[in-house]
Amino acid sequence: MWLGDGTRKSLRIAAVMTVGTGGNGVYVTPRNAPGATVDRVDVSLAVGADATAVAAGLRDAVRASGGHVLTKDQWTEASYPETNRTTRLGLLLVLGIALLYTGISLANTMVMATSDRVRDLAVLRLAGATSRQVLRLVGGEALMVVAVGGVLGLLVAALNLLGMWSALGFLSVWTSIQMPWAAIGTVLGACAVLAVVSAVAPAGLALRRGAVGSAGARE
């Protein structure tokens, strides 16, 4: 490695930290970094220590040098700014387009599937089922399709997140996996409503033509 003055020097690795400290930098002893100032000190509380008293003491100690005392969350927020507005808008735009085409595909699939089953629905009417019973059956099947799709989607997402979590683990970055359950529930609810409407609407129109005529129609 090269020191700050350009001198090349070979150093011995004394230890490798399992848990990172917020960066991938190399830490050297004061002897190998003359003139370097301390830019951060990590403090952990002993068992039973008063956090308020410790924070007050640290503020008094660093006041003369202009230092600041921050909690872990405050330091993270100050050191790692959030995603800028342009990046967030771009992500929302791509996500919106994907959701739009997903909705179109779902509605088209349900309409085509129901239209191809007009004869089957008419046979159910001739067998004694009422129109409401047939429509409830169609709506229930649409909800089942959305439920199965949601479960499969969660499994794929879980496998993907597990792979990324394992890869980060090899870098000694262990973190918790957080799922946006509110957003997932909203999307599943919207898909359920869209699927039911797209399936029940053509089924209702088909049942209005009469069961006998629909049962004898060619598919």
Side-chain angles (χ1 to χ4, degrees):
M1 65 172 294
W2 284 266
L3 301 180
D5 58 358
T7 304
R8 184 174 181 177
K9 192 170 185 179
S10 298
L11 301 179
R12 180 176 60 87
I13 298 177
V16 177
M17 293 184 295
T18 302
V19 180
T21 58
N24 295 323
V26 177
Y27 296 87
V28 296
T29 60
R31 179 182 177 183
N32 294 302
T37 58
V38 178
D39 60 350
R40 191 186 76 205
V41 176
D42 296 328
V43 178
S44 60
L45 298 179
V47 179
D50 186 359
T52 304
V54 173
L58 291 174
R59 291 189 181 92
D60 293 337
V62 301
R63 183 177 293 109
S65 60
H68 301 279
V69 178
L70 302 175
T71 63
K72 178 181 178 181
D73 294 336
Q74 291 173 342
W75 179 84
T76 302
E77 184 178 356
S79 302
Y80 296 92
E82 298 180 354
T83 305
N84 58 46
R85 185 170 180 269
T86 303
T87 303
R88 185 175 181 82
L89 289 177
L91 177 62
L92 292 177
L93 177 61
V94 174
L95 180 61
I97 294 175
L99 291 177
L100 176 62
Y101 277 95
T102 300
I104 294 174
S105 176
L106 176 61
N108 183 57
T109 301
M110 299 308 299
V111 170
M112 292 178 60
T114 305
S115 300
D116 290 340
R117 298 179 57 201
V118 171
R119 186 175 181 179
D120 297 334
L121 300 179
V123 171
L124 290 176
R125 288 284 289 116
L126 294 176
T130 64
S131 297
R132 290 187 177 182
Q133 290 175 335
V134 174
L135 293 179
R136 283 200 297 266
L137 173 64
V138 173
E141 291 176 345
L143 291 177
M144 183 177 295
V145 170
V146 174
V148 172
V151 171
L152 293 177
L154 288 176
L155 290 177
V156 172
L159 290 175
N160 189 17
L161 291 175
L162 181 61
M164 290 190 293
W165 181 78
S166 301
L168 289 174
F170 284 112
L171 300 176
S172 298
V173 181
W174 299 105
T175 182
S176 59
I177 298 178
Q178 297 181 356
M179 298 290 289
W181 295 113
I184 293 175
T186 301
V187 173
L188 285 178
C191 289
V193 173
L194 182 61
V196 170
V197 172
S198 301
V200 172
L205 294 176
L207 293 176
R208 286 186 177 183
R209 294 187 302 179
V212 176
S214 299
R218 293 184 178 180
E219 296 183 355

